[in-house]
């Protein structure tokens, strides 16, 4: 182990020194603060450069936008909050699809996820398809077909008015059950 690596202060040692200095309540010399800064920056980030800078107006919750060089250098003058990203941000999974906007007011909804344009984040996350709860019934609705067909067959023993009523009802129910079954098939 070389002497240079043995002398390099760790993050824990630097934080302990900072806590001691804060507890003492004495002013800390600028040279000591510079040492703390270089130790923390060297240990946490090493020689890594910022991948990109992002900015937004101070004291707002607006989304972070990629900063230009002038935004970073004159952040205080421009009233911007700047942050440096040291790791590559994840690639966006899917871009939003906005409808063609005729009046340019920008409050359209994404065609895939339904978010409004001014509120949407960088990634489009479409809603999962709705689950068809008909397939999770405690019984199969097709079990009702046979009794309904029997009822339809037995209507021949009824008077003409009741026969027409019950045939219409059973035919309607049988058709709805068959449509329902077609819709719940994967």
């Amino acid at each position: 182990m070389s002497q240079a690596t043995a002398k390099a202060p760790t993050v824990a040692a630097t934080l302990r020194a900072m806590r001691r200095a804060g507890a003492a309540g004495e002013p800390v010399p600028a040279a000591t603060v510079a040492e703390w800064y270089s130790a923390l920056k060297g240990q946490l980030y090493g020689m890594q450069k910022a991948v990109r800078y992002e900015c937004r107006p101070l004291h707002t919750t607006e989304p972070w936008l990629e900063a230009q060089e002038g935004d970073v250098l004159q952040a205080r003058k421009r009233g911007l909050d700047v942050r440096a990203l040291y790791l590559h941000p994840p690639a966006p999974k899917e871009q939003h699809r906005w409808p063609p906007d005729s009046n340019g007011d920008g409050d359209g909804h994404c065609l895939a996820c339904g978010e409004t344009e001014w509120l949407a984040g960088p990634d489009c996350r479409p809603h999962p398809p709705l689950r068809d709860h008909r397939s999770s019934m405690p019984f199969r609705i097709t079990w009702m077909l046979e009794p309904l067909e029997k009822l339809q067959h037995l209507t021949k023993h009824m008077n003409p008015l009741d026969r027409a009523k019950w045939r219409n009802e059973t035919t309607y129910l049988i058709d709805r059950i068959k449509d329902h079954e077609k819709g719940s098939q994967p």
Side-chain angles (χ1 to χ4, degrees), residues 60-135:
T60 64
T61 58
E62 291 183 24
W64 292 93
L65 302 173
E66 191 161 354
Q68 304 298 321
E69 185 178 343
D71 296 334
V72 176
L73 296 177
Q74 298 174 352
R76 187 175 295 175
K77 262 187 194 177
R78 295 181 180 183
L80 296 174
D81 191 12
V82 176
R83 70 178 181 184
L85 299 177
Y86 285 92
L87 299 175
H88 291 284
K93 293 181 180 145
E94 189 176 329
Q95 296 294 323
H96 289 284
R97 294 183 300 126
W98 306 111
D101 194 14
S102 59
N103 57 4
D105 60 4
D107 65 347
H109 295 277
C110 175
L111 298 173
C113 67
E115 287 287 332
T116 55
E117 190 170 357
W118 65 274
L119 188 60
D123 294 339
C124 180
R125 294 191 178 103
H127 300 293
L130 293 175
R131 185 170 173 265
D132 186 4
H133 292 285
R134 295 178 289 191
S135 60

Side-chain angles (χ1 to χ4, degrees), residues 141-177:
I141 194 133
T142 54
W143 295 346
M144 301 300 291
L145 283 175
E146 186 178 350
L148 286 171
E149 288 168 351
K150 291 284 185 190
L151 180 61
Q152 194 174 34
H153 180 69
L154 291 174
T155 57
K156 66 181 178 185
H157 301 294
M158 296 181 178
N159 66 38
L161 197 58
D162 284 341
R163 181 182 316 137
K165 177 188 175 226
W166 284 105
R167 282 198 181 212
N168 286 340
E169 292 289 326
T170 54
T171 305
Y172 174 79
L173 288 173
I174 289 170
D175 290 344
R176 294 296 79 74
I177 290 172

Side-chain angles (χ1 to χ4, degrees), residues 1-10 13 43:
M1 189 181 239
S2 69
Q3 193 173 11
T5 56
K7 285 188 174 186
T10 63
Q43 290 294 323

